[in-house]
Amino acid sequence: MRTIHSKLFRYCSIAVCSIIVANGCMLDRRPISSPGRVVPDQYCPGDTLTASYDFLTFNACTPRSDGDCERSAPTVTMTSSPVLFPSTTLQSYQNTVSFPASGDRIDVNFFYGSTNVFIPPAVLLLVRDNTASATRIAGTIDTTLPHMGNCARGFAVPTYMPAQIPGPPRVSGNMRVVEVVNVNSVPVTFTLSGGATGTPFSLRVGPGGTLRTDMPGVPGDIGDSRMISIVPMGLMCGPGGDGTIEPQPAAPPISTVVRMACR
């Protein structure tokens, strides 16, 4: 039945494309697409995951007649392994299923029913079935966050941009910061912000030192921070111009290691 449907859809797509060409419109052929995904990529026990596909993220369906978008939409089937939600089949450009996480790994399979998806008036997507996976977080996760630096004038003290601490859709929103490690060769001042109260917290840490969010004097919500700023001590920009005539000097590289765990 799937083969018959696939052939029928292909023939209809060819017919539609022929009409488009006959009317003088250019058919916009896009690269192969596999839009199915599951988020977050890494989950904590008790999390709710979301499986979804969306063919209209960078496109818009513009019907040429009533019901054109509904008739052209692909028939997509979503299943999971292990079975955490009933198999769902829907003729639609977009669909979302939420379900509770279970076990160490979850695979969500997306079957698109055809190798071509037509989006009126003139977009043809080449598609391929895909499997999106998510895994349970065990223990802690270390993430190295590089900070983009800037040298406004030669031999000046560099300034560094804050870095985003990982969160959805990459990792569970139930992850919290447990440690921030200074992996640089100079002392730095860390500032964490974005916790529940919105009050930032700063601490100077020597080379190889660690800011632990359970240390005495550290606010209880600081582990929920989602932004970290860094001010290094003793770093200088190299020689160079101010960026107007001569090239602006590069800031010395600097980074932060953030260690996170499920609540």
Side-chain angles (χ1 to χ4, degrees):
M1 183 65 183
R2 183 180 297 276
T3 302
I4 295 174
H5 180 276
S6 178
K7 288 182 178 179
L8 179 61
F9 188 90
R10 188 177 297 113
Y11 295 153
C12 291
S13 297
I14 292 173
V16 170
C17 295
S18 299
I19 294 172
I20 291 173
V21 173
N23 289 338
C25 297
M26 180 78 67
L27 186 64
D28 181 4
R29 298 177 184 270
R30 301 293 176 87
I32 292 176
S33 173
S34 297
R37 62 183 310 203
V38 57
V39 295
D41 299 337
Q42 296 175 288
Y43 56 88
C44 291
D47 276 357
T48 295
L49 305 188
T50 299
S52 65
Y53 63 87
D54 186 357
F55 289 98
L56 301 180
T57 303
F58 302 106
N59 306 284
C61 186
T62 305
R64 297 156 301 172
S65 60
D66 290 344
D68 197 15
C69 290
E70 290 76 8
R71 288 189 297 270
S72 299
T75 299
V76 182
T77 298
M78 289 191 290
T79 64
S80 72
S81 177
V83 179
L84 299 178
F85 62 87
S87 174
T88 175
T89 300
L90 187 67
Q91 185 176 5
S92 174
Y93 288 114
Q94 301 162 312
N95 193 15
T96 298
V97 174
S98 296
F99 57 95
S102 179
D104 295 332
R105 177 188 171 102
I106 298 166
D107 295 323
V108 178
N109 308 298
F110 297 85
F111 304 100
Y112 301 113
S114 174
T115 56
N116 300 287
V117 171
F118 178 65
I119 303 177
V123 174
L124 184 65
L125 300 179
L126 305 180
V127 301
R128 179 180 295 152
D129 295 346
N130 74 290
T131 297
S133 301
T135 55
R136 182 176 66 85
I137 297 167
T140 59
I141 294 178
D142 287 7
T143 304
T144 299
L145 305 176
H147 295 263
M148 300 298 295
N150 178 59
C151 286
R153 298 173 300 278
F155 297 102
V157 175
T159 58
Y160 292 89
M161 296 293 293
Q164 187 77 36
I165 296 172
R170 178 180 165 189
V171 299
S172 168
N174 288 317
M175 294 284 287
R176 72 187 316 270
V177 178
V178 293
E179 292 182 349
V180 181
V181 184
N182 179 12
V183 292
N184 307 285
S185 60
V186 297
V188 303
T189 296
F190 290 128
T191 299
L192 283 80
S193 58
T197 64
T199 303
F201 174 78
S202 299
L203 185 70
R204 182 171 176 173
V205 179
T210 300
L211 184 166
R212 298 194 322 275
T213 56
D214 63 351
M215 294 170 60
V218 177
D221 72 321
I222 221 61
D224 297 325
S225 298
R226 284 297 174 262
M227 191 72 67
I228 182 165
S229 301
I230 190 169
V231 177
M233 312 296 174
L235 287 186
M236 300 292 288
C237 293
D242 62 2
T244 57
I245 300 176
E246 298 178 9
Q248 186 170 296
I254 202 162
S255 60
T256 299
V257 168
V258 174
R259 183 164 296 134
M260 305 182 73
C262 292
R263 300 176 191 275

